[in-house]
């Protein structure tokens, strides 16, 4: 007979209430960790437009930089401020404040442009101030929208983070409106 018998591997029942509690806490910790590992997280770049909070999926963001010289382009949509030249690449710079019915931006040191890729198109969006990168569970991206017919098409979902309401921008709808020149 080997020196390991089946009795050596059987778990004896916990002897005290404290041991039972410790085992239950360990089981719950393992279950919670497994649940967290299965939950997909999405990184969002958060920023301000006027005094409102918005976000873009970080996987769509190519670059964030201080605002540089903007060259106006006649005959473009009113949402296109012009073009910017960043490292020998030309990007249209969109101002979506009016589109979202927000106050006209005051360009200052906190102003940035965010270069975004969407459906093989790259463009820059003017933002008033950067805030941070946040990771949120993927299910939060399918949140409900407050009914606001003026802007609801341009917001994919609203996410509540630390008592702040954050609008996830709908890039496709924004680009369509800009292209139509509405």
């Amino acid at each position: 007979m080997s020196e390991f018998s089946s009795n050596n591997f059987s778990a004896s029942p916990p002897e005290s209430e404290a041991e039972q509690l410790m085992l239950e806490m360990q089981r719950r910790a393992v279950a919670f960790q497994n649940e967290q590992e299965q939950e997909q997280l999405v990184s969002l770049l958060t920023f301000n437009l006027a005094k409102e909070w918005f976000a873009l999926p970080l996987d769509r963001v190519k670059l964030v930089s201080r605002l540089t010289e903007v060259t106006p382009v006649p005959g473009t949509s009113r949402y296109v401020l012009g073009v910017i030249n960043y490292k020998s690449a030309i990007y249209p710079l969109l101002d979506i404040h009016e589109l979202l019915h927000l106050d006209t931006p005051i360009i200052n040191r906190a102003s940035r442009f965010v270069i975004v890729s969407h459906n093989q198109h790259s463009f820059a969006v003017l933002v008033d101030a950067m805030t941070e990168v946040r990771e949120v569970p993927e299910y939060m991206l399918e949140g409900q929208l407050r009914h606001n017919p003026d802007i609801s098409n341009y917001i994919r979902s609203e996410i509540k983070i630390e008592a702040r309401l954050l609008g996830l921008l709908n890039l496709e709808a924004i680009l369509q409106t800009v292209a139509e020149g509405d």
Side-chain angles (χ1 to χ4, degrees):
M1 184 175 220
S2 74
E3 61 183 271
F4 294 108
S5 68
S6 63
N7 289 340
N8 289 348
F9 292 111
S10 66
S12 59
E15 295 180 16
S16 71
E17 190 176 322
E19 288 177 325
Q20 288 177 344
L21 183 60
M22 288 298 291
L23 287 172
E24 179 61 18
M25 288 175 57
Q26 287 174 342
R27 184 192 66 73
R28 287 183 183 185
V30 168
F32 179 75
Q33 184 175 0
N34 289 339
E35 182 180 309
Q36 293 295 333
E37 289 171 359
Q38 291 174 358
E39 190 173 292
Q40 295 284 31
L41 295 177
V42 176
S43 296
L44 300 175
L45 176 69
T46 64
F47 52 89
N48 293 106
L49 295 173
K51 294 180 181 179
E52 302 289 329
W53 290 67
F54 294 92
L56 287 167
L58 193 59
D59 63 351
R60 301 274 178 102
V61 175
K62 292 172 66 174
L63 172 83
V64 176
S65 184
R66 286 185 186 261
L67 195 58
T68 61
E69 186 178 335
V70 179
T71 305
V73 179
T76 60
S77 167
R78 68 179 188 237
Y79 305 113
V80 178
L81 292 176
V83 294
I84 55 173
N85 182 343
Y86 186 80
K87 294 190 177 185
S88 299
I90 306 296
Y91 300 97
L93 178 62
L94 307 183
D95 177 8
I96 59 175
H97 287 75
E98 183 182 343
L99 191 69
L100 298 171
H101 300 279
L102 300 171
D103 293 335
T104 303
I106 298 172
I107 308 292
N108 58 36
R109 301 193 87 213
S111 300
R112 300 283 187 268
F113 66 86
V114 179
I115 297 177
V116 179
S117 284
H118 181 72
N119 292 342
Q120 300 149 356
H121 300 288
S122 292
F123 57 94
V125 176
L126 175 66
V127 301
D128 297 339
M130 298 306 304
T131 51
E132 61 191 347
V133 172
R134 295 295 300 246
E135 286 193 339
V136 298
E138 190 172 31
Y139 74 86
M140 288 179 73
L141 300 183
E142 303 307 321
Q144 297 293 323
L145 288 176
R146 292 179 293 176
H147 185 66
N148 183 343
D150 293 333
I151 68 166
S152 61
N153 191 41
Y154 306 115
I155 306 297
R156 194 172 115 197
S157 63
E158 291 178 323
I159 304 162
K160 193 163 192 167
I161 299 177
E162 296 172 5
R164 288 184 280 206
L165 194 58
L166 185 118
L168 183 64
L169 294 179
N170 180 346
L171 292 175
E172 192 157 325
I174 290 169
L175 284 178
Q176 182 176 354
T177 299
V178 170
E180 292 171 355
D182 256 345

